Amino acid sequence: MAMIGCGSMGGGMALLFAEHGITVSLNDPSEETMDQLLATAKQDGLQDRLQKHSSYDHLCKSLGSPKVFVFSLPHGTVGDRVVDGLHTYLAKGDIIIDASNENWQNTQRRQGKLVPQGVFYIGMGVSGGYQAARRGPSMCPGGEERALDIVMPLLQKVAAKDSQGNPCVAKAGTGGSGHYVKMIHNGIEHGMMSALAESWQIMNLGLGMTYEEIADEFDRWNKDGELRGTFLVSIGADICRQKDDQGRHVLSIVEDKVVQDVDGTEGTGIWSQLEAVRLHVPAPSLTTAHFIRLASAFRADRKQVKDAFGGQFPVREWGEAKDDKKSILESLRRAIYATFLASFVEGINIIDQADQENRWNIDYSAVVQIWRNGCIIKADYITDMLADIFKEPKVDLDLLHNKRVAQELKQAFPALKETVTKGVEHNAIIPSLSATLEFLKYSTNTILPTQFYEAQLDYFGKHMFDLKSEGAGKPETGKHHFEWKLA
C-alpha cells in the first residue's frame, strides 16, 4: 500500500501498518519528512517495510493490484492535486482511502470524479491524535460497499480495540458519511473539551484547588459513575500533573489561545457548526464551545477590550466552598456529564438530518462501536447507553425523545443549574455549561419567549403566525397576520 502524506498522522499510520506486516510505500513533498520517518522505522525495527518514492510513477510501480493508497493530507485543494497527479496511474479496482480530516463534500465530489475510471474513493475519519495513529486509532470509513468490504480486514487489524477486543472501525455508510461522522465527532469533541476546561478553571480559580488536587478529582470522575472511562477526563489528569525539566507544571505556562480554527489547520470544527445551522439543528453546547475558541485566538484583541473596559470580570473565589467543597465538586461532575451527553445528543441529531438528506444509510450501532475506543470522545458510560438504544429496531434519532436519555439529563439538571448559578455569581467562564442548561430549558418548554418574538416579526415584516388554538403544527409559515399598525 502507499501512504501519501507522512506527517505526524500519516507517519504514525505508516509505522502502524508496517508493524502489522504490510509493506508501505511513502510519498511526501518533503524528503526530510520521509527521511525522519525512515529513521524512526529503523529505531522500531521496521526499516525493511517502508520505502520512499519521490514520484507517483515510481510509487505506483511499487504497488500490487489493486493499488491501495492512503491519504493523510491537509484538507482542501491538496487532495484534488494529488488525485489529479495519480490519475494516469489509476486502474479499475484501485482504492484510495482518504484518512485526512477532509470536508465531506470534497469527498463526495472526488468519489463521483473517479467513477468513470472504476476507482473507489473511501472517505475515512481517523481519531485519537498522532499517538493513536501510531498505536491504533478509531476509524470511520464511508463509501461503496464493495470497496469497504475489501479494506475492512486490513483496517480491523490495525484499529483500536474496545475492552472486549473488538476493533473500533466499522462501515459508517455510503458516500461521504465517513468524513461527515468524523466531522461531527469533532464538533462533539469541542463541546466536551470546553466543558472540561470550564470545570478545570472553576476548580483552580473558584475553589482554589492545586493542579495535583484537580488531577486527583479527574481521576475520581474517570473511575466510576457517568464519566467513567472518558478519554478527555483521563488526559485532563495527566495534563494537570505533567511538569517540565524545570519542575514547572507545563499547564501553567500554556497561553489561553486556541488558534486551529483561525490558522486554517482545523476545518471540522467550523464545518460542524455550519452544518448545525444549515440543517436547522439546535446545537448550543457545540456552537458556544466554538465561539470561545474563536475569542481565545485573538488574545491581543481581548487585551484591547480589557483596556477599554478598564479591567476584566475576574473569576472570584467561591467562599462557601470551604464548607461544602465535596457537594460542589459532585454537582460539577454531574454538570459536566450533562454537557457531555447533550453534546452527543446534538451531534447525533445533526448526523441524522444529514443522513436523511443524503441517504447514506448510516449504521448508528457501527458509529457507536467506532467511538468505543481510540477516539477523543471515548466515554464508556455514554457509549454503553447509546449501544443499548441503537439495538432497538426503530430508533427515534432525536435522542431527547428517548426516555432513558431524557431521564439521565433530567436527573443531572439540578446539578447543572446549581453549577451555572454559582458560576454566574462568581464570574466563572462557562459557555458550554450555561448553553447546555439553556438548551435543556428551551427544548423541554412549550411556553417560550418566542411567542413575543413571532409577534414582532409579524408587526414589522408581515411574517405571519400560527394560533395557539391550532395545535403544534409543522415548522411552516403561519396562516395569520394582524395589522398592528397601518402603513
Side-chain angles (χ1 to χ4, degrees), residues 77 114 146 178 184 311 396 451:
T77 58
L114 291 168
R146 287 177 295 167
I184 300 303
D396 185 339
Q451 176 181 346

Side-chain angles (χ1 to χ4, degrees), residues 55-333:
S55 72
Y56 291 149
D57 180 45
H58 291 160
L59 177 75
C60 293
K61 286 177 178 176
S62 72
L63 303 174
S65 181
K67 295 185 286 293
V68 177
F69 304 85
V70 177
F71 289 0
S72 183
L73 305 167
H75 62 81
T77 58
V78 175
D80 292 318
R81 293 199 298 270
V82 173
V83 170
D84 289 343
L86 290 172
H87 181 77
T88 57
Y89 305 102
L90 296 175
K92 184 177 181 179
D94 288 346
I95 299 173
I96 295 172
I97 304 173
D98 188 344
S100 317
N101 266 336
E102 186 55 274
N103 186 288
W104 64 280
Q105 292 171 310
N106 289 338
T107 303
Q108 296 205 146
R109 177 171 48 78
R110 292 172 195 158
Q111 287 171 336
K113 181 178 180 178
L114 291 168
V115 165
Q117 278 186 282
V119 174
F120 298 111
Y121 194 97
I122 294 170
M124 185 175 77
V126 177
S127 182
Y130 69 93
Q131 297 100 332
R134 176 64 184 90
R135 301 301 172 191
S138 160
M139 294 182 283
C140 185
E144 282 202 42
E145 187 87 12
R146 287 177 295 167
L148 293 172
D149 287 339
I150 293 169
V151 301
M152 281 305 294
L154 168 65
L155 300 179
Q156 289 169 343
K157 184 183 293 187
V158 300
K161 306 299 188 293
D162 66 15
S163 60
Q164 304 300 313
N166 300 309
C168 294
V169 59
K171 295 181 282 189
T174 60
S177 61
H179 276 147
Y180 196 96
V181 171
K182 175 53 166 59
M183 172 186 71
I184 300 303
H185 163 288
N186 286 17
I188 296 170
E189 170 188 312
H190 294 176
M192 296 172 71
M193 290 178 72
S194 181
L196 200 64
E198 293 162 33
S199 76
W200 165 79
Q201 190 173 70
I202 287 171
M203 287 188 277
N204 186 227
L205 299 184
L207 304 182
M209 294 170 63
T210 66
Y211 287 176
E212 283 79 9
E213 288 172 332
I214 297 171
D216 290 343
E217 187 66 15
F218 281 155
D219 281 340
R220 183 179 77 83
W221 292 2
N222 197 50
K223 184 178 179 181
D224 294 305
E226 297 90 344
L227 297 178
R228 63 175 169 81
T230 301
F231 173 78
L232 286 170
V233 176
S234 173
I235 69 167
D238 292 343
I239 289 168
C240 287
R241 289 194 177 100
Q242 189 67 53
K243 294 183 178 180
D244 62 16
D245 54 9
Q246 299 179 45
R248 301 174 300 181
H249 283 97
V250 178
L251 178 58
S252 70
I253 62 172
V254 175
E255 191 63 279
D256 64 345
K257 292 166 59 179
V258 176
V259 301
Q260 286 76 16
D261 305 301
V262 178
D263 68 9
T265 56
E266 173 61 75
T268 54
I270 298 170
W271 305 331
S272 57
Q273 311 317 317
L274 291 173
E275 281 296 285
V277 174
R278 184 183 73 84
L279 295 169
H280 316 299
V281 177
S285 308
L286 313 188
T287 52
T288 310
H290 189 71
F291 291 144
I292 192 174
R293 284 164 65 103
L294 296 180
S296 78
F298 296 96
R299 182 175 171 81
D301 184 65
R302 284 187 282 127
K303 291 181 69 176
Q304 189 175 347
V305 172
K306 179 181 175 181
D307 291 342
F309 273 64
Q312 61 188 3
F313 303 105
V315 180
R316 301 201 320 269
E317 188 173 352
W318 299 20
E320 67 273 24
K322 295 178 182 178
D323 301 320
D324 202 15
K325 185 176 178 180
K326 184 176 180 181
S327 174
I328 290 172
L329 286 172
E330 178 57 17
S331 290
L332 181 59
R333 184 189 71 84

Side-chain angles (χ1 to χ4, degrees), residues 267-454:
T268 54
I270 298 170
W271 305 331
S272 57
Q273 311 317 317
L274 291 173
E275 281 296 285
V277 174
R278 184 183 73 84
L279 295 169
H280 316 299
V281 177
S285 308
L286 313 188
T287 52
T288 310
H290 189 71
F291 291 144
I292 192 174
R293 284 164 65 103
L294 296 180
S296 78
F298 296 96
R299 182 175 171 81
D301 184 65
R302 284 187 282 127
K303 291 181 69 176
Q304 189 175 347
V305 172
K306 179 181 175 181
D307 291 342
F309 273 64
Q312 61 188 3
F313 303 105
V315 180
R316 301 201 320 269
E317 188 173 352
W318 299 20
E320 67 273 24
K322 295 178 182 178
D323 301 320
D324 202 15
K325 185 176 178 180
K326 184 176 180 181
S327 174
I328 290 172
L329 286 172
E330 178 57 17
S331 290
L332 181 59
R333 184 189 71 84
R334 298 276 290 159
I336 295 301
Y337 167 62
T339 305
F340 281 11
L341 180 54
S343 296
F344 275 87
V345 168
E346 294 165 15
I348 288 170
N349 203 355
I350 299 170
I351 294 170
D352 174 43
Q353 294 302 308
D355 188 25
Q356 291 183 44
E357 179 183 75
N358 291 277
R359 299 180 180 179
W360 288 322
N361 297 313
I362 287 178
D363 182 341
Y364 289 90
S365 292
V367 171
V368 172
Q369 179 58 33
I370 291 165
W371 292 347
R372 282 281 191 183
N373 197 15
C375 71
I376 306 302
I377 66 172
K378 174 185 180 292
D380 289 353
Y381 185 92
I382 292 175
T383 49
D384 283 349
M385 176 169 52
L386 294 178
D388 288 343
I389 290 170
F390 292 132
K391 285 177 184 175
E392 299 298 322
K394 291 183 179 180
V395 179
D396 185 339
L397 290 163
D398 185 341
L399 294 177
L400 289 182
H401 299 166
N402 183 276
K403 290 190 181 298
R404 182 173 175 187
V405 172
Q407 188 66 18
E408 293 279 329
L409 289 169
K410 182 179 179 180
Q411 289 174 351
F413 183 87
L416 177 61
K417 182 179 178 180
E418 178 187 341
T419 299
V420 171
T421 300
K422 281 187 167 66
V424 170
E425 181 183 351
H426 295 87
N427 290 338
I429 299 167
I430 48 173
S432 286
L433 289 170
S434 57
T436 300
L437 178 67
E438 293 301 318
F439 173 63
L440 296 180
K441 285 163 59 180
Y442 61 65
S443 294
T444 60
N445 206 310
T446 56
I447 309 175
L448 296 179
T450 44
Q451 176 181 346
F452 185 79
Y453 198 144
E454 182 78 331

